[in-house]
Amino acid sequence: MSHHAPAKPVSANRSNALAGIAKIPGDKSISHRSILLGGLASGLTTVSGLLEGEDVLHSVDVARALGAVIDQDADGVWQVRGTGNGALLEPEQPLQFGNSGTGCRLFMGLLGTYDFDSTFIGDPSLSSRPMARILDPLRLMGCQVVESSSGDRLPVTIHGSPMATPVQYRVPMPSAQVKSAVLLAGLNTPGITTVIEPVMTRDHTEKMLTGFGAALEVETDQDGVRHIRVEGQGQLTGQKIEVPSDPSSAAFIIVAALVIPGSKVEIPGVLMNPTRTGLIATLLEMGADIAIENRRISGGEEIADLTVTSSELKGVRVPGERSASMIDEYPILSVAASFANGPTYMEDVGELRVKESDRLAAVARGLEANGVDCAEGEDWFEVKGRPDGKGYGGGTVQTHLDHRIAMSFLILGMASEKSVTVDDGNPIATSFPEFLPLLKQLGASIGEAT
Ligand code: S3P
């Protein structure tokens, strides 16, 4: 679905203490990569705990269109039979990615070295996002951009070179999607493709490529810059994958439990990869009571069980160096900061302007509409909090087809004096379809606006 469904306003009211166990669905980044790499590798890949949100289901459809055979067994485990590296089929139709930047950009990289036409389409949010960051390195590898909308936006049609050229590419902005796209393009390229990554971003592509048998090495130089080399045209072999709970979805429940007085919520099996835990580090600095227990390794990734107890928070300065490890969490951090004592200042957050929406603008307008004091610069953001939420709420928030804006403001409403309405709850299904029922089960007062 691409959100042509009529908008569905949702409201959240001031809620009583949340309590219980919150099982969070699978990590979105790992889910996309499981389907993409499973669909490419030889033999069978099984995936348990796959996030069955709309974004990932678009990746499933795209992998099928490229020749993968994908089913679910009676226990809900996904069975993916891939084409073999280098053997993807030419798609017969445009590839529809809905709202998903990750699905679109990773598959664009993968297909950028195939000698056929592929066309990429998406919803109005995805169609407004920059694709030059993927098309520029692909052009260097010999890919022809047959068609694109102004400013290299979707719809885009590409045609890979029959003889792709390996590149050494320095990623110009901190972006796991760009890094991953170039590495995936390297899989069907003779020789060694190198990505130079000055600021480390989530490393699931590197880890999973190694798991599937790619010849990949990572070297970190004395300046902390990562050099990731992948040798093309090797064999990839199907894997057994268990997807851990998504820390970027857990973030909403963590903050809800912190800001609603008297709450205590357990969240088992959350991914704790250090490239993803910046929000937890920040909340701990703000004084949050988050117990992290049973740290263990599952499927090559660190996971842990969290217990979150409502806490008095204080404002902090969030250093720019941390932004890559919490890039999707700034909207919900802004909600936590709304209930903190003193200002919270977020450095180096300019990338938020090119997410599913311009998230700095969307958060600023939403907070203003609900009586929260904030200030916004081109690449910084500040929230001046007030612990009791007195006077907060009463506004309607424009979500701009952005799931994280919708969820963040519903959490704001649960701790505000007056209710908060989001203009459209449909986008929540892209990443966290269980969000509303789960919060109701924990005791939140939330539902379709009347
Ligand atoms: C993702 C990378 C990040 C993140 C997105 C998922 C990924 O995007 O915001 O939700 O799975 O690689 P950028 O690469 O644009 O920072």
Side-chain angles (χ1 to χ4, degrees):
M1 197 183 82
S2 309
H3 297 302
H4 299 306
K8 187 182 77 182
V10 180
S11 291
N13 309 313
R14 192 170 178 88
S15 298
N16 293 328
L18 303 186
I21 299 176
K23 176 84 192 78
I24 305 291
D27 185 68
K28 180 152 73 72
S29 294
I30 294 179
S31 294
H32 280 298
R33 288 159 172 81
S34 306
I35 295 298
L36 183 151
L37 291 176
L40 181 66
S42 307
L44 176 67
T45 291
T46 59
V47 190
S48 54
L50 186 82
L51 167 63
E52 293 172 14
E54 287 170 9
D55 277 11
V56 175
L57 296 179
H58 282 300
S59 284
V60 169
D61 287 343
V62 167
R64 283 182 176 136
L66 300 173
V69 176
I70 307 180
D71 314 290
Q72 238 183 324
D73 73 10
D75 298 323
V77 177
W78 290 77
Q79 316 270 326
V80 186
R81 288 177 180 80
T83 58
N85 186 24
L88 294 174
L89 304 180
E90 179 169 358
E92 287 170 2
Q93 306 281 336
L95 302 169
Q96 170 63 259
F97 290 92
N99 191 252
S100 178
T102 304
C104 179
R105 289 177 172 147
L106 266 52
F107 275 100
M108 201 178 271
L110 179 70
L111 289 167
T113 47
Y114 278 79
D115 180 20
F116 53 62
D117 273 6
S118 350
T119 297
F120 297 74
I121 56 175
D123 76 0
S125 155
L126 184 56
S127 304
S128 72
R129 298 180 68 183
M131 293 298 151
R133 53 181 61 197
I134 306 296
L135 296 175
D136 287 347
L138 290 182
R139 287 179 172 110
L140 297 175
M141 299 177 87
C143 175
Q144 199 192 332
V145 179
V146 179
E147 235 176 321
S148 70
S149 288
S150 79
D152 273 345
R153 291 182 162 72
L154 300 191
V156 162
T157 301
I158 58 172
H159 191 117
S161 160
M163 190 59 94
T165 319
V167 288
Q168 263 211 13
Y169 191 70
R170 192 180 177 92
V171 182
M173 69 290 287
S175 168
Q177 293 174 356
V178 175
K179 164 178 68 179
S180 302
V182 178
L183 292 174
L184 294 171
L187 292 178
N188 193 36
T189 301
I192 294 185
T193 296
T194 305
V195 173
I196 301 171
E197 185 181 44
V199 176
M200 184 169 181
T201 61
R202 66 191 70 197
D203 59 354
H204 309 303
T205 301
E206 296 93 300
K207 284 190 162 163
M208 290 180 76
L209 275 173
T210 303
F212 276 85
L216 180 140
E217 57 177 46
V218 183
E219 194 190 316
T220 305
D221 68 21
Q222 67 271 25
D223 300 321
V225 175
R226 296 173 83 232
H227 300 249
I228 310 155
R229 301 184 188 91
V230 68
E231 193 177 332
Q233 302 184 326
Q235 161 107 1
L236 299 176
T237 311
Q239 296 296 297
K240 179 169 182 276
I241 297 171
E242 284 164 33
V243 184
S245 289
D246 193 330
S248 299
S249 297
F252 299 102
I253 309 299
I254 294 173
V255 171
L258 289 173
V259 300
I260 301 172
S263 300
K264 185 171 184 153
V265 176
E266 290 171 48
I267 314 176
V270 180
L271 176 68
M272 293 295 284
N273 179 315
T275 63
R276 301 288 301 281
T277 51
L279 176 75
I280 293 182
T282 303
L283 291 171
L284 290 172
E285 285 177 11
M286 294 172 81
D289 181 350
I290 305 172
I292 305 170
E293 287 158 331
N294 297 325
R295 281 188 184 266
R296 56 201 185 273
I297 301 291
S298 167
E301 290 280 7
E302 194 176 331
I303 65 170
D305 303 328
L306 309 182
T307 304
V308 187
T309 308
S310 65
S311 308
E312 281 178 20
L313 301 176
K314 60 175 195 297
V316 294
R317 190 175 189 91
V318 189
E321 305 85 81
R322 198 180 287 159
S323 66
S325 67
M326 54 180 294
I327 194 65
D328 291 333
E329 279 68 78
Y330 284 98
I332 191 62
L333 173 67
S334 303
V335 171
S338 302
F339 297 98
N341 235 316
T344 293
Y345 186 87
M346 307 167 209
E347 296 177 355
D348 234 335
V349 289
E351 272 292 302
L352 295 196
R353 297 209 178 270
V354 289
K355 295 293 178 186
E356 285 82 331
S357 66
D358 174 343
R359 284 189 174 154
L360 294 186
V363 171
R365 298 297 85 74
L367 291 179
E368 284 160 9
N370 288 288
V372 183
D373 195 1
C374 64
E376 166 200 1
E378 197 39 45
D379 67 349
W380 58 266
F381 195 65
E382 187 177 40
V383 179
K384 294 178 189 117
R386 202 165 47 205
D388 55 12
K390 263 233 156 353
Y392 282 178
T396 296
V397 177
Q398 309 290 315
T399 51
H400 303 284
L401 291 179
D402 189 332
H403 54 132
R404 298 197 201 281
I405 297 300
M407 291 187 277
S408 297
F409 279 97
L410 290 171
I411 305 295
L412 181 83
M414 290 174 207
S416 293
E417 189 182 346
K418 292 167 273 178
S419 60
V420 171
T421 301
V422 300
D423 66 347
D424 189 8
N426 285 322
I428 294 172
T430 61
S431 70
F432 197 169
E434 299 84 346
F435 178 80
L436 292 177
L438 175 61
L439 275 157
K440 280 186 199 159
Q441 174 211 311
L442 295 172
S445 172
I446 188 171
E448 271 182 50
T450 44

